[in-house]
Amino acid sequence: LTIWEVMKQCIFQGAHTDGILPGGLGVSRRAFKINDKLLAGRHCQTADEWIYHIRRNARTFQEVNKWISCFALAVNEQNAAFGRVVTAPTNGAAGVIPAVLMYHVCFSDTFSGEEDIIRFLLTAGEVGSLFKKGATISAAMGGCQAEIGVSSAMAAAALTECLGGSYAQAMMAAEIAMEHHLGMTCDPIGGLVQVPCIERNTMGAIKAITASQIALESDPSKAKVTLDAVIKTMKDTADDMHHKYKETADGGLAVNIPVNIVEC
């Protein structure tokens, strides 16, 4: 519950802070503007008050979708600005799990309070440990599939657990989420955890929710790919991946987007 409190405060602070992120890229914060637009300029003093108004006002698919992006952006903008985040499982991928849990808190009719928060985080942590022991959670070792991919898998399993899915459906959700992140490279522009890293957390959160929805409507006994198989595949892919796509900023977007950053 303490971990969730830090996550919640991080989302709240990120969604209520405007400006340009440090580092020299000139990246503008976007969570603030999304939040301000969705709540029509309403000012909330606490995170709990903010959640109350989100629950009351957001009901269309478009609104919910924007809130999910807002939650994830808020966390990773805080990370890029030296704010306090929960490493879940890494700082660069710290927005996925809080965003999906906040989605559950705000928009799931079955949300049951602290019990769900505990079940969510315990499930996410256990799935994360499977990836850490069977492959890696480090972009330096496995590219971004090891960070955004793993965080998405963790969140997918956790949401499935909290929505009443079986343990087999939870594992299926984790597999689906990782399956569609396989091979993702780590190519931070200017070596900063900003572009494309911040936006990637929104994609990971959306994929986690989609994976959970698919798993809840599926029969895991008929799945063609197991969680164990996708973890092994991720490790094999990481081993085969060229070093320049592993958090070096020597490949991908990092070399194709011109930047002018003065070395310290």
Side-chain angles (χ1 to χ4, degrees):
L1 293 176
T2 301
I3 289 173
W4 166 239
E5 185 63 28
V6 175
M7 288 180 171
K8 182 173 69 175
Q9 293 302 326
C10 180
I11 298 172
F12 179 70
Q13 292 298 327
H16 290 82
T17 305
D18 199 6
I20 305 296
L21 295 173
L25 291 182
V27 175
S28 297
R29 286 178 177 260
R30 283 175 284 180
F32 176 88
K33 294 178 176 63
I34 296 173
N35 172 60
D36 191 60
K37 185 175 182 179
L38 287 171
L39 287 187
R42 180 188 295 274
H43 298 287
C44 299
Q45 299 301 313
T46 67
D48 290 335
E49 179 190 358
W50 184 55
I51 290 170
Y52 170 78
H53 287 294
I54 294 172
R55 284 173 173 162
R56 288 190 60 191
N57 289 280
R59 278 295 173 261
T60 69
F61 174 80
Q62 187 178 43
E63 289 170 332
V64 173
N65 198 39
K66 286 181 179 179
W67 275 120
I68 296 166
S69 293
C70 178
F71 300 152
L73 289 171
V75 173
N76 288 88
E77 287 169 356
Q78 285 295 93
N79 178 61
F82 310 106
R84 190 183 190 200
V85 302
V86 175
T87 305
T90 64
N91 281 15
V96 176
I97 289 170
V100 176
L101 180 47
M102 184 67 91
Y103 160 80
H104 181 54
V105 169
C106 292
F107 304 119
S108 292
D109 293 333
T110 59
F111 176 64
S112 62
E114 291 185 351
E115 177 62 26
D116 262 15
I117 292 168
I118 293 168
R119 293 178 72 85
F120 189 103
L121 292 177
L122 287 176
T123 304
E126 185 58 34
V127 170
S129 74
L130 294 176
F131 278 97
K132 185 173 183 179
K133 288 181 283 190
T136 180
I137 60 170
S138 166
M141 292 181 65
C144 202
Q145 62 173 355
E147 297 202 9
I148 294 295
V150 171
S151 64
S152 186
M154 292 166 68
L159 181 61
T160 303
E161 167 72 19
C162 288
L163 293 179
S166 66
Y167 72 88
Q169 286 175 318
M171 291 191 294
M172 185 179 188
E175 182 280 316
I176 292 171
M178 173 51 75
E179 185 178 334
H180 301 291
H181 283 94
L182 287 174
M184 181 177 282
T185 60
C186 182
D187 49 356
I189 294 174
L192 298 172
V193 190
Q194 295 184 12
V195 183
C197 317
I198 294 173
E199 286 182 358
R200 278 189 181 166
N201 281 263
T202 70
M203 300 297 108
I206 293 295
K207 285 186 180 180
I209 295 168
T210 302
S212 175
Q213 292 170 344
I214 293 172
L216 286 168
E217 299 299 327
S218 300
D219 179 357
S221 68
K222 297 179 180 179
K224 303 300 182 184
V225 184
T226 65
L227 180 57
D228 286 342
V230 88
I231 292 174
K232 182 180 184 304
T233 302
M234 181 200 146
K235 185 179 186 303
D236 292 343
T237 303
D239 291 342
D240 290 339
M241 189 179 290
H242 194 282
H243 71 85
K244 70 180 181 179
Y245 296 116
K246 296 180 180 181
E247 207 175 50
T248 59
D250 290 332
L253 288 175
V255 297
N256 285 306
I257 306 300
V259 293
N260 183 22
I261 301 176
V262 179
E263 290 288 342
C264 296

